[in-house]
């Protein structure tokens, strides 16, 4: 299958949608990868059933609906936190460049790269729709994993908010945080694993496999990078606390049951 046959105009439409939505990053640099990310996924989730209304199945419709739920939940959560949490804004100001000194060429490159990545992330379901494939067992399994990822991420964010409301100066170590130190990122990984799984039975040709794998590998890499950034921040904030040191020695950072307790030394991780 050729490059043109694999992607076509419909995929270009998805990229344009992601470009339009994520352009909010020109207002504030971090929005390229936060609000622009969440709401781009939601917007593409709305667009795909419209673009492929003649080939929709129950499985693909539910998958697209989960994109909307995922994107709106994430974007809404980040927006509320951005507006209401002064401490969060202060922390992010220290950790992430504001982009004021960045040249426009660099900003445009990041903008385009992000939009392309977001389209690649949803590409497995896009390919299933484009080829008119109906719901099968693999699709159902993928959609279920996607739903579990959303539930896990939502529960982790809710538990963190509750714990911080009680003691804002303490690290989170209750509930899901007893299992892994970054359960919200685990939910992200689970969600995108479900997206990838949903279409492994229908991916055809090198271009489709390359696009689906690229989107999945990139988001998993970004989640590990985010876990590293969080670990470094927590080490600065709580590193002298004996309870924190005991906590990190026994609790995996991202993947449950996998004895990976720190990624701080891996400087090649960027998230």
């Amino acid at each position: 299958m050729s490059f043109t046959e694999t992607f076509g105009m419909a995929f270009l439409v998805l990229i344009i949608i992601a470009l339009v939505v994520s352009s909010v990053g020109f207002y504030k640099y971090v929005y390229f990868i936060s609000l622009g990310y969440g709401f781009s996924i939601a917007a593409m989730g709305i667009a795909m059933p419209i673009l492929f209304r003649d080939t929709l199945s129950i499985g693909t419709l539910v998958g697209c609906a989960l994109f909307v739920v995922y994107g709106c939940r994430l974007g809404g959560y980040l927006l509320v936190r951005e507006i209401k949490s002064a401490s969060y804004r202060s922390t992010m100001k220290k950790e992430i460049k504001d982009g004021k000194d960045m040249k426009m060429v660099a900003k445009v490159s990041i903008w385009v790269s992000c939009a392309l990545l977001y389209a690649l992330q949803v590409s497995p379901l896009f390919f299933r729709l484009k080829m008119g494939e109906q719901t099968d067992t693999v699709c159902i399994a993928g959609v279920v994993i996607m739903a579990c990822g959303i539930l896990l991420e939502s529960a982790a964010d809710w538990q963190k908010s509750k714990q911080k409301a009680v003691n804002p100066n303490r690290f989170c170590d209750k509930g899901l945080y007893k299992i892994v130190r970054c359960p919200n990122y685990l939910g992200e990984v689970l969600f995108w694993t479900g997206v990838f799984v949903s279409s492994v039975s229908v991916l055809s040709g090198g271009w489709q496999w390359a696009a689906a794998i690229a989107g999945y590998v990139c988001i998993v890499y970004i989640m590990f990078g985010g876990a590293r950034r969080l670990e470094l921040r927590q080490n600065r904030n709580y590193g002298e606390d004996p309870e924190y040191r005991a906590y990190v020695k026994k609790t995996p950072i991202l993947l449950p049951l996998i004895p990976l307790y720190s990624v701080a030394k891996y400087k090649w991780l960027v998230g």
Side-chain angles (χ1 to χ4, degrees), residues 57-233:
S57 68
I58 294 296
T60 52
L61 181 60
V62 172
C64 289
L66 289 175
F67 280 142
V68 178
V69 173
Y70 166 87
C72 288
R73 191 213 71 83
L74 178 61
Y77 173 80
L78 294 173
L79 182 60
V80 170
R81 187 171 65 176
E82 175 80 12
I83 294 172
K84 291 187 175 182
S85 178
S87 62
Y88 172 77
R89 292 194 300 270
S90 176
T91 299
M92 290 300 101
K93 188 175 182 179
K94 296 175 183 177
E95 291 200 10
I96 299 178
K97 297 179 180 179
D98 59 16
K100 290 181 179 180
D101 299 327
M102 184 178 294
K103 293 182 179 180
M104 183 55 68
V105 173
K107 285 187 177 181
V108 171
S109 298
I110 292 169
W111 173 48
V112 173
S113 298
C114 286
L116 177 59
L117 173 59
Y118 303 156
L120 289 175
Q121 287 176 234
V122 304
S123 67
L125 201 59
F126 167 84
F127 292 135
R128 179 177 280 276
L129 284 162
K130 191 174 189 298
M131 292 185 291
E133 298 288 347
Q134 297 301 300
T135 303
D136 57 16
T137 303
V138 170
C139 181
I140 294 171
V143 168
V144 170
I145 295 171
M146 289 170 67
C148 290
I150 293 174
L151 290 174
L152 176 59
E153 187 174 12
S154 301
D157 287 340
W158 179 80
Q159 289 180 0
K160 184 174 183 178
S161 295
K162 290 294 183 182
Q163 291 180 56
K164 287 296 184 179
V166 174
N167 191 344
N169 297 317
R170 179 182 168 79
F171 59 93
C172 298
D173 60 345
K174 296 179 175 59
L176 293 169
Y177 292 84
K178 290 182 178 180
I179 302 172
V180 292
R181 305 207 307 276
C182 300
N184 50 343
Y185 292 159
L186 174 60
E188 285 264 353
V189 171
L190 192 61
F191 177 83
W192 292 109
T193 298
V195 175
F196 182 77
V197 167
S198 71
S199 297
V200 293
S201 61
V202 300
L203 293 176
S204 175
W207 283 114
Q208 288 191 6
W209 278 102
I213 291 173
Y216 179 64
V217 169
C218 283
I219 192 60
V220 172
Y221 168 81
I222 289 169
M223 289 302 104
F224 271 94
R228 178 180 182 270
R229 188 176 67 241
L230 178 63
E231 180 184 4
L232 292 174
R233 183 167 75 242

Side-chain angles (χ1 to χ4, degrees), residues 14-41 43 104 107-108 110-116 118:
L14 293 188
I15 295 175
I16 291 172
I17 289 171
L19 283 169
V20 171
V21 177
S22 61
S23 64
V24 68
F26 287 106
Y27 172 73
K28 192 172 183 179
Y29 174 73
V30 71
Y31 289 170
F32 280 131
I33 56 173
S34 59
L35 301 183
Y37 168 53
F39 290 125
S40 289
I41 301 301
M104 183 55 68
K107 285 187 177 181
V108 171
I110 292 169
W111 173 48
V112 173
S113 298
C114 286
L116 177 59
Y118 303 156

